[in-house]
Amino acid sequence: MSGTQRGVRREQRSEAMSLPAPSRPFPLSISPNFPFPPQNLPRRHASPLRGRLGRPVAMTTPHFSPPFFFLFSPPPPPPFQLRLRPGGPSGGSRPPAALLRALATFLPLFSFPSFPSLLLSPAPLWPGAVTAMAPAADREGYWGPPTSTLEWCEENYAVSYYIAEFWNTVSNLIFILPPIYGAIQTYKDGLEKRYLAAYLCLTAVGLGSWCFHMTLKYEMQLLDELPMIYSCCVFVYCLYECFKYKNTVNYPLLFLLITYSFVVSIVYLNLKEPVFHQIMYGTLVSIIVLRSVYIVLWVYPWLRGLGYTSLTVFLMGFFLWNVDNIFCDKLRALREKMPPVVGAVTQFHAWWHILTGLGSYLHILLSLYTRTLFLKHRPKVKFLFGIWPVLLVEPPKKL
């Protein structure tokens, strides 16, 4: 073979290395222990990988400060790596560039620690990557990234830099101020301490919910959710002790409710599953509703208006809570087209606070009204400022 022919063959081989060969497949297989890049393959297969894709792509997540996965880089290797196996009897040809770009994009999905991080990452990990990010309306704020197991539909730090969910936070005032007034009035009337505890537990729920929605921290979430269980246990005790003599204590029921609260708290702290909390809370609410219906149907029928109003308001709040969860994307898109003050009307989780706060307050009035009627007191509902109901109790007439 002449020198001219050898030069032509050399140029042809050089062109073949620089262009993908579509006629030959380049099969892939997963190997957990195979070093990457493939150093035991011929140079003409290993070298174009870095030349085509550029410098190695480093992936980081907000959960781990050091990089934990390097694509096309030396050790430490990822848990699962793609092993390139040349095809054909003569060693095959170089992989197509489009296939390599696809591998660069989707290879991290085969690494188990990286897959949840991709779903939670606040920004694309490399140019062109597609990840599930927080909505654009969410912003960074004073309390840092959320650590709670739940986030609601309101945009984070959209109104204030210091309050994560502004409307969900300020709507808790209905849990705080009216029950404080009710507790003061109960103390002035000299009524039983368990109703004072009921008002204060409702205030504790409001304070915990305020802290949770303001910070979106897991510790504050517990301060919101666990008092919901404790307050419902107090409501159950008050409602089932309405028809007992004064200064009596139902120790078996008290022990059962304390045990229930303790078990739910321990399991929830270890399980960290919001659905478990919702089921346990819903169970207590169902018991309260059944007992209230019994009272207004069979014992004091003239209290039906108060009982049904409390139940209806609470169910309306529960309905809006579900609407907020199910149609969150549509509600957010709608709020982007509306003025901020008008868009606040669509914050249905805030309406859940308002309606359930009112419903819970009315339930305490129902329980207290029932109890004072049994004790031969003279209860009377008065509207504070013409809008907010309070219960004034006069002592029984002396014969």
Side-chain angles (χ1 to χ4, degrees), residues 147-159:
T147 59
S148 58
T149 60
L150 287 172
E151 274 200 68
W152 307 104
C153 191
E154 182 178 353
E155 296 80 359
N156 296 347
Y157 299 101
V159 177

Side-chain angles (χ1 to χ4, degrees), residues 203-219:
T203 303
V205 172
L207 292 174
S209 182
W210 179 290
C211 296
F212 169 41
H213 289 286
M214 183 176 67
T215 63
L216 292 181
K217 294 299 182 181
Y218 176 69
E219 296 79 8

Side-chain angles (χ1 to χ4, degrees), residues 3 177 250-251 263 291 331:
L177 299 181
N250 189 339
Y251 288 103
V263 171
R291 181 66 171 179
L331 290 173

Side-chain angles (χ1 to χ4, degrees), residues 20-228:
S23 60
R24 290 177 181 251
F26 199 87
L28 304 174
S29 64
I30 295 178
S31 175
N33 300 316
F34 193 80
F36 203 93
Q39 300 176 358
N40 62 340
L41 297 180
R43 180 177 293 275
R44 61 193 179 100
H45 293 296
S47 58
L49 293 175
R50 296 178 67 91
R52 280 284 180 177
L53 294 176
R55 65 178 184 271
V57 181
M59 294 174 49
T60 61
T61 77
H63 307 287
F64 304 96
S65 54
F68 68 96
F69 187 94
F70 287 91
L71 196 60
F72 303 119
S73 298
F80 291 96
Q81 300 164 341
L82 291 180
R83 177 179 181 180
L84 306 181
R85 184 175 71 249
S90 60
S93 59
R94 189 176 56 81
L99 176 60
L100 297 179
R101 293 192 185 97
L103 293 179
T105 303
F106 294 105
L107 182 61
L109 300 181
F110 291 95
S111 176
F112 177 77
S114 66
F115 183 68
S117 304
L118 285 175
L119 298 180
L120 299 177
S121 176
L125 303 177
W126 63 85
V130 179
T131 60
M133 298 180 294
D138 288 344
R139 304 171 185 174
E140 295 183 358
Y142 178 80
W143 302 100
T147 59
S148 58
T149 60
L150 287 172
E151 274 200 68
W152 307 104
C153 191
E154 182 178 353
E155 296 80 359
N156 296 347
Y157 299 101
V159 177
S160 171
Y161 176 76
Y162 298 97
I163 300 178
E165 296 176 349
F166 181 82
W167 300 110
N168 289 350
T169 301
V170 298
S171 58
N172 285 290
L173 287 174
I174 198 170
F175 281 100
I176 301 173
L177 299 181
I180 289 179
Y181 182 86
I184 295 174
Q185 190 63 44
T186 300
Y187 178 78
K188 287 181 178 180
D189 292 336
L191 302 178
E192 292 167 310
K193 298 298 186 294
R194 57 174 175 259
Y195 291 100
L196 180 64
Y199 280 120
L200 294 180
C201 283
L202 194 59
T203 303
V205 172
L207 292 174
S209 182
W210 179 290
C211 296
F212 169 41
H213 289 286
M214 183 176 67
T215 63
L216 292 181
K217 294 299 182 181
Y218 176 69
E219 296 79 8
M220 300 298 106
Q221 179 183 353
L222 296 178
L223 197 63
D224 172 25
E225 293 177 331
L226 292 181
M228 293 171 63

